[in-house]
Amino acid sequence: MDFTPTQEQRAARDLAARIFADLSTHDRLAAAGTGTDAELWKALCAAGLVASVEETGLLGLVLLLEEQGRTTAQVPIAATCVYGLLAVAALGTPEQRARLLPAIGAGAAVVAGAFPATGAIRADASGALSGVAPVVPWLRGATHVLVADASPERALWLVATGGGGGAAGVTVEEVDTTAPWAAGRLTLDGARGERLGGADAADVQGGPQAPVGAYAFVLAVGRVAFAGLQAGVCAGSLARAVAHTAQREQFGRPLSANQGVLLRAADAYMDIEAIRVTAYEAAWRHDERLPFATHALTAAWWASEAGQRVVHTGQHLHGGAGADLEHPVHRHFLWGRQLDSHLGSGGEVLEELGRALCSGQRQEGEAR
């Protein structure tokens, strides 16, 4: 395996880093509240970074999300690319790909995803959807949401929300989460949905990367992407802690000279590298059309279990300043804990991974 970014992936990553550094400042983040930074989202789409993921793959997306995480920029890149661009590209019909991908890449369509699904949304024979998804990240302001129905095959449906609510049969209510992810409660009451892959979706899944189940495939892709985002959040937290402890003095010498501080920072660095390498491996396997479901679970476990350790360390090394809700490092703490919750607690993910490894069977989300 080779995780070396391609020229295109490096160019996209470096451009994203510059845009985030210029526009995702502490003052702008504070002004954004819990909503999306519309100007930053427009800049990213205008630069072609969202559309580029179709070419640079899941590994390219992970690299972009690392840069987002370093600044905790409030834009729905992960959701739109996972539940929109990559899902449609892999599972959509030719007509759906031709119609939807340009709009998603340009930022005209913003997609949220009700993943993991709770099994509460059901589809009738006509394709009308009813049910509730209690918490959907980045739902407010999304033009579409990808939901899985409660049928055994977990069919995927793309529902137009009317831009965060207002479409027939669609209600979006604001939900507060640990991190400011513009989350919402989705209620569907006979809403019209477009089945991803069309009526013959089973036939659409016959390619070399086809999953055993479309829902499991998208779930695995999402785990890898959000693990990459966690790697960036943690790297940003540690960078702030290193800068703080190098500048803050105690008894006439920098805090960073204390062995206890050095050890905490070193442990955090190793945790970040573990999150990063497992996310890279799972993304690389996806792009190479190799089985990646258990690798996605491994990345999710490291992101959840190690991620919460790192953001706690970053806040702790700031001393009393780390407890200040207005301090930049506290945003990394909130994002890290939100990602821990979104990916599933470390124990839950580890249990699922253990079942997958012990079953000896090809798991949902693996390539054919």
Side-chain angles (χ1 to χ4, degrees), residues 18 119 125 198 208 236:
R18 290 197 296 272

Side-chain angles (χ1 to χ4, degrees), residues 241-242 244-267 313 316-319:
V242 168
H244 174 80
T245 55
Q247 296 169 2
R248 184 69 178 267
E249 291 190 355
Q250 185 181 59
F251 305 119
R253 64 176 188 172
L255 287 174
S256 59
N258 295 326
Q259 187 179 41
V261 172
L262 291 171
L263 291 174
R264 287 292 301 274
D267 286 343
T313 292
H316 187 200
L317 290 180
H318 277 77

Side-chain angles (χ1 to χ4, degrees), residues 129-131 159-160 166-171 186-192:
L129 300 165
S130 298
V159 180
V170 178
T171 301
L186 176 69
T187 302
L188 302 178
D189 185 11
R192 303 304 304 177

Side-chain angles (χ1 to χ4, degrees), residues 82-84 86-93 96 114-117 146-149 151-158 194-207 209-223 286 292-293 362-368:
V82 169
Y83 308 121
L86 290 178
V88 172
L91 303 169
T93 64
Q96 287 174 329
F115 282 69
L146 186 67
V147 300
D149 66 27
S151 64
E153 64 270 20
R154 286 287 199 188
L156 299 182
W157 302 83
L158 201 59
E194 175 183 1
R195 184 165 181 178
L196 190 59
D200 298 323
D203 296 333
V204 178
Q205 301 172 27
Q209 193 185 345
V212 172
Y215 167 75
F217 172 76
V218 175
L219 179 60
V221 171
R223 282 169 166 158
H286 166 278
F292 71 103
R362 184 157 56 98
Q363 300 298 307
E364 287 190 339
E366 301 280 22
R368 290 191 190 279

Side-chain angles (χ1 to χ4, degrees), residues 37-94:
D37 186 330
E39 182 181 346
L40 175 55
W41 179 245
K42 182 179 180 180
L44 292 168
C45 294
L49 289 172
V50 174
S52 72
V53 173
E54 190 177 355
E55 297 297 327
T56 60
L58 184 53
L59 183 54
L61 175 58
V62 166
L63 294 173
L64 294 182
L65 293 175
E66 273 195 89
E67 299 307 322
Q68 178 190 2
R70 293 179 197 276
T71 60
T72 60
Q74 289 181 203
V75 284
I77 295 182
T80 291
C81 288
V82 169
Y83 308 121
L85 193 142
L86 290 178
V88 172
L91 303 169
T93 64

